Amino acid sequence: MTQSNNDISSNSTELNKQIVLQAYASLKAGNVAGYFDSMADNITLTYFGNHLFTGTYRGKKDILDNYVPVLLNRLEGPIKITVTNAIAEGDQVFVEAVGESKTKDGLDYNNLYGIVLRLQDGKITEVREYMDTELVKAIFG
């Protein structure tokens, strides 16, 4: 018995969703390396809006060199992301999520996110993230 294309597509869609959910579960558990392991080396990460992080980071090295240090300079540690909803279709997964963190001076940084992810060969290759940009500006300037 052979699988139909719809079954194969459905299986890869579910697998992509599980990869994304596991990536955010790793981040929430403080396993930053596990989170980055889910990404392709040539990932693109785009933040929309008008704030300090707006733009596109190209590749893990760019993210680790130019985004993560700025984030961790202000926050006590990584943002704990809780996925509240996940929808997958083909190579794309959309998640709604809540982030929890504190700044080094004790302020809450609890943002809401809408994140579109694209996967290829079991790795996240693209992230497009929408968030409360006013909160980003209030915390990061």
Side-chain angles (χ1 to χ4, degrees), residues 12-22 86-88 93 119:
S12 65
T13 295
E14 186 58 30
L15 179 60
N16 287 339
K17 184 176 178 181
Q18 291 308 313
I19 290 166
V20 168
L21 291 174
Q22 183 57 51
I87 303 165
V93 179
L119 291 89

Side-chain angles (χ1 to χ4, degrees), residues 56-107:
T56 299
Y57 298 87
R58 300 186 187 283
K60 283 185 192 179
K61 183 171 177 13
D62 189 18
I63 295 167
L64 290 168
D65 290 351
N66 299 305
Y67 168 67
V68 172
V70 175
L71 193 70
L72 294 181
N73 188 48
R74 181 75 173 110
L75 301 179
E76 286 181 346
I79 300 168
K80 290 181 171 44
I81 302 286
T82 301
V83 174
T84 57
N85 189 22
I87 303 165
E89 185 172 331
D91 66 351
Q92 293 191 79
V93 179
F94 174 78
V95 297
E96 292 176 299
V98 177
E100 293 180 77
S101 188
K102 284 216 180 271
T103 64
K104 290 181 178 177
D105 56 352
L107 298 174

